[in-house]
Amino acid sequence: MKHLGIDKYYHYCVGQIIFTCCYVVGLSWVISLTVVAVIAAAKEIYDKVSGKGTPEVLDFIATVVGTLIPLLLLYKDTLATGVDTLIPLLLLFRYTL
């Protein structure tokens, strides 16, 4: 990640965190991904309008790409075997908060 810079890494991590939090509180993966995309776009628009940051398309992309790891973890069992074993664990975690 060094060649992309620390800023893109932060965007990537924030995308993962937002997606995971949305999913754990009960939103579907589609809505969670949409929330990440909307927040990422809003942040870049804010950067442009306010002049307080540097709006970059790559920041938006890095944030949205951050959802890929949680998505793959959620659906790796489904994709491989057709049986999703991670969802019950997430639901258990959700109800123990």
Side-chain angles (χ1 to χ4, degrees):
M1 294 290 296
K2 186 175 181 180
H3 62 283
L4 291 177
I6 193 76
D7 181 57
K8 304 301 180 274
Y9 178 71
Y10 289 151
H11 280 273
Y12 177 82
C13 291
V14 167
Q16 282 189 356
I17 292 167
I18 294 170
F19 178 86
T20 303
C21 289
C22 289
Y23 192 83
V24 167
V25 298
L27 300 178
S28 72
W29 71 267
V30 174
I31 294 174
S32 299
L33 177 61
T34 303
V35 168
V36 171
V38 167
I39 290 172
K43 194 268 184 202
E44 297 310 313
I45 291 169
Y46 173 79
D47 283 350
K48 183 175 178 94
V49 171
S50 71
K52 294 183 179 181
T54 306
E56 293 184 40
V57 173
L58 285 178
D59 287 350
F60 171 81
I61 292 170
T63 306
V64 173
V65 167
T67 65
L68 294 179
I69 297 298
L71 269 173
L72 289 173
L73 289 174
L74 285 170
Y75 292 101
K76 70 177 175 55
D77 294 330
T78 301
L79 295 172
T81 65
V83 179
D84 194 351
T85 58
L86 190 57
I87 301 288
L89 294 175
L90 285 175
L91 291 174
L92 178 64
F93 176 74
R94 181 175 132 197
Y95 290 112
T96 58
L97 294 176

